[in-house]
Amino acid sequence: MAKSLNKNRLNLPFIINLSNQKGGVGKSTLAYNIADGFRSLGFRVKLIDMDIQNSCMGLNSLRDKAFGDIEKVTDEARLVEIINDSSLDEFEVLVIDTGGFDLALSRLAMVGADINLTPVSDKVTELLGLVQKYSKILHEIESDGRNSVLSYTLLNRVHPLATQFEHIEEIVKQSSQMRMMKSVIRERSIYDKSLIHGESVFEAKELKGHKSAKDEILSLCYELIEKNER
Ligand SMILES: Nc1ncnc2c1ncn2[C@@H]1O[C@H](COP(=O)(O)OP(=O)(O)OP(=O)(O)O)[C@@H](O)[C@H]1O
Ligand SMILES: [Mg+2]
C-alpha cells in the first residue's frame, strides 16, 4: 500500500452512513465494498444492514465463508446502543446501509453518523431526487431541532470516460447541507458480478475491472479518512 496510515490521528470509531431515499442508487453495493475497503486497510469494521430487503445480509449468505461482522438492525434502540456504546474492541469503522425509504430509523442514522454519503448517478431523475427530496429531508432533520446534518454526494455508476461534473456540483451547492465527494465510482460490471458470490471487488481478482474498481473504492476510503482527520 503506497500511502501510510496512522490510526492515532483518526477519530475512531468512525461512522459512515449511506443514505438516499431513492432506491437502486448503489447504497448496498457501496456499503458492502467500502466495508471491505476498510478491512483491507487493516481496520476492524462492522457493517449494519438497515435495509428491509436485507441486501448486505443476503449477500453475506452467498459467500463460502461469511463475514462475521455484519448485523441486521431494525429498531432505533439497537442503533442508538451500537452508536453510543461503540468501543474500539468491537469495531473501528462502522458502515451503515440504510434502506431506500425515508424512515425515522434512516434519519437517526443520518444524525448519528460522522459522515453521510449519498450515492447518486449523473442521471437527471436521480439528481432531481437529490435536490427535491433528499435536501428537504436534511432540512427537516435540522428544523426538528436535532443536530445539523451534512451530506456528501457521491457520484456512482458514472460512465467510465466521463470527466465533466461541474453541472452536478452546481446542483449540490444549492443546498447548504450538501457537499461533493471528489471520488467518483464508475459504472463497472464487476460490482454486480462479484456480488453474485457475495464478494467485494477486492476479492473478485479474476473479474475484468478488478484493479480499477479496487482503486476507486480505496480512493474513496482514503478521502473518507482525510475527512475524519480534520
Ligand atoms: N458502480 C456501479 N457499477 C455497476 N453497477 C452498479 C454500481 N453501483 C451499483 N450497481 C448496481 O445497481 C443495482 C442497485 O444497487 P444497490 O442495490 O446497491 O442500490 P441501493 O441504493 O442499495 O438500492 P435500495 O434502495 O433498493 O436498497 C445493483 O444491481 C448493483 O449491483
Ligand atoms: Mg440497498
Side-chain angles (χ1 to χ4, degrees), residues 189-202:
S189 60
I190 187 175
Y191 287 105
D192 235 10
K193 287 185 180 153
S194 53
L195 291 180
I196 290 173
H197 306 290
E199 290 185 341
S200 75
V201 295
F202 292 84

Side-chain angles (χ1 to χ4, degrees), residues 50 73-77 79 98 103-110:
M50 301 208 313
V73 170
T74 54
D75 65 285
E76 294 182 31
L79 180 63
T98 61
L103 301 173
L105 187 61
S106 313
R107 291 191 181 205
L108 194 61
M110 288 164 75

